[in-house]
Amino acid sequence: METGQSRGLFLFFLLTWGLPSEVAVEVQASPDGSSAVQEPVRLTGVQEAVEFIAAAEVAVIGFFQDLEIPAVSIFHSVVEKFHDVSFGISTDSVVLSHYNISGNTISLFRLVDNEQLDLENEDIEIMDASKLSRFIEINNLHLVTEYNSVTVIGLFNSMIQIHLLLMMNKASQEYEESMHRYWKAAKLFQGKILFILVDSSLKENEKVVSFFNLKASQMPALAIYRTVDEEWDTLPVADISVENVQNFCYGFLEGKRLFIVIRKSAHVERVIESTGTAWGLEEMLSTALEDSKQGLKPQHWI
């Protein structure tokens, strides 16, 4: 257990090192065009609260026993900052009991991993707008979450241990349609795999691309990573179709990988499977084989 945690922490520091300390919140609207309500919705019953949470990828609800406490005004002040989050408020004792709330609490509910994350009494007493915003930014994970130095914290705190990264230039002509298909594929693996978007055109994301031994000429590409044992696989793919994403994910889950990375002490042994040319990966195979012959050490980001 400790080994898995230490590996996860190691990659976490690799992912966050050198990135800007503050990243502006970017709207991550669902491809279906839906948008979140910008004023907190008053939730007066359990069924209403259940439906409210079920309708949003991310919902934040203030469960308050007293609407006169400072936390309520702070809660209202951050609503306009997050256009991809639904906000609600409830003072109903039955609703609070249904969600195991015993005091003033702000809870974030996520569809992607079915998590409920709580800021409870002691947290709320010392909370200001900046701290509440940070809590939401970190944990604001969607069916497809854009990678940055803030969301990566929430990604590695999630109970879901497999991450799928789409590395793609957001300015490309194919971006919108590719994202629509990627989002549809994400719904099929909800609760099993976290789907992540990495803008390959950003300099601060170059370390992510290089970690998976990929080059700019191979974009767009998929990379899948399991946090518990650091196993990963990659697939440069011109067509981001639901079928291609499905096949790649199922292959990894079933242990059928294009590249199996085995760490032995300070060296990396790349074991190449026979499926490379079928996927159009001749260049990657050639590079990997040459590295294997030379006994190259793994590329660390720090």
Side-chain angles (χ1 to χ4, degrees), residues 196-222:
I196 303 162
L197 169 68
V198 178
D199 187 351
S200 59
S201 69
L202 299 180
K203 185 174 180 59
E204 57 264 31
N205 290 341
E206 290 177 358
K207 291 181 182 291
V208 181
V209 176
S210 64
F211 176 77
F212 293 105
N213 295 330
L214 292 167
K215 303 175 182 178
S217 60
Q218 294 171 307
M219 300 294 106
L222 296 170

Side-chain angles (χ1 to χ4, degrees), residues 59-61 63 101 105-110 113-120 135-136 138-141 154 157-159:
V60 176
I61 300 178
F63 296 106
I101 305 298
T105 302
I106 295 175
S107 298
L108 183 145
F109 298 86
R110 287 196 306 236
D113 56 3
N114 197 31
E115 283 279 358
Q116 175 182 338
L117 306 172
D118 299 327
L119 285 176
E120 299 178 326
F135 169 74
I136 298 173
I138 288 173
N139 297 295
N140 189 16
L141 307 186
N157 281 337
S158 173
M159 295 298 292

Side-chain angles (χ1 to χ4, degrees), residues 64 69 71 104-106 119-127:
F64 299 117
I69 63 172
N104 295 309
T105 302
I106 295 175
L119 285 176
E120 299 178 326
N121 273 328
E122 58 271 19
D123 301 310
I124 287 179
E125 290 175 0
I126 60 173
M127 181 186 71

Side-chain angles (χ1 to χ4, degrees), residues 66-197:
D66 180 4
L67 291 178
E68 300 303 317
I69 63 172
V72 176
S73 60
I74 293 172
F75 184 80
H76 279 275
S77 72
V78 305
V79 171
E80 288 299 322
K81 297 181 181 179
F82 298 92
H83 295 260
D84 56 348
V85 176
S86 295
F87 288 85
I89 284 182
S90 183
T91 59
D92 187 277
S93 60
V94 179
V95 175
L96 271 64
S97 177
H98 178 77
Y99 291 102
N100 299 314
I101 305 298
S102 57
N104 295 309
T105 302
I106 295 175
S107 298
L108 183 145
F109 298 86
R110 287 196 306 236
L111 174 67
V112 68
D113 56 3
N114 197 31
E115 283 279 358
Q116 175 182 338
L117 306 172
D118 299 327
L119 285 176
E120 299 178 326
N121 273 328
E122 58 271 19
D123 301 310
I124 287 179
E125 290 175 0
I126 60 173
M127 181 186 71
D128 56 21
S130 176
K131 291 178 180 178
L132 178 56
S133 294
R134 183 73 174 177
F135 169 74
I136 298 173
E137 289 172 14
I138 288 173
N139 297 295
N140 189 16
L141 307 186
H142 290 249
L143 288 175
V144 176
T145 301
E146 181 162 2
Y147 163 81
N148 59 48
S149 63
V150 178
T151 58
V152 71
I153 302 172
L155 290 167
F156 275 85
N157 281 337
S158 173
M159 295 298 292
I160 297 178
Q161 298 176 338
I162 298 179
H163 300 169
L164 180 70
L165 292 74
L166 168 60
M167 291 171 275
M168 185 177 194
N169 187 339
K170 289 179 65 176
S172 65
Q173 294 182 347
E174 301 81 13
Y175 171 73
E176 292 295 338
E177 182 60 30
S178 295
M179 274 301 298
H180 178 71
R181 295 170 182 169
Y182 191 57
W183 185 83
K184 289 179 67 175
K187 295 183 71 175
L188 302 176
F189 292 93
Q190 180 186 330
K192 297 179 181 178
I193 298 175
L194 292 178
F195 278 57
I196 303 162
L197 169 68

Side-chain angles (χ1 to χ4, degrees), residues 2 9 30 79 101:
E2 292 181 359
L9 286 172
S30 298
V79 171
I101 305 298

Side-chain angles (χ1 to χ4, degrees), residues 9 49 120 237 247 257 291:
L9 286 172
E120 299 178 326
V237 55
N247 290 340
R257 299 169 180 77
D291 288 353

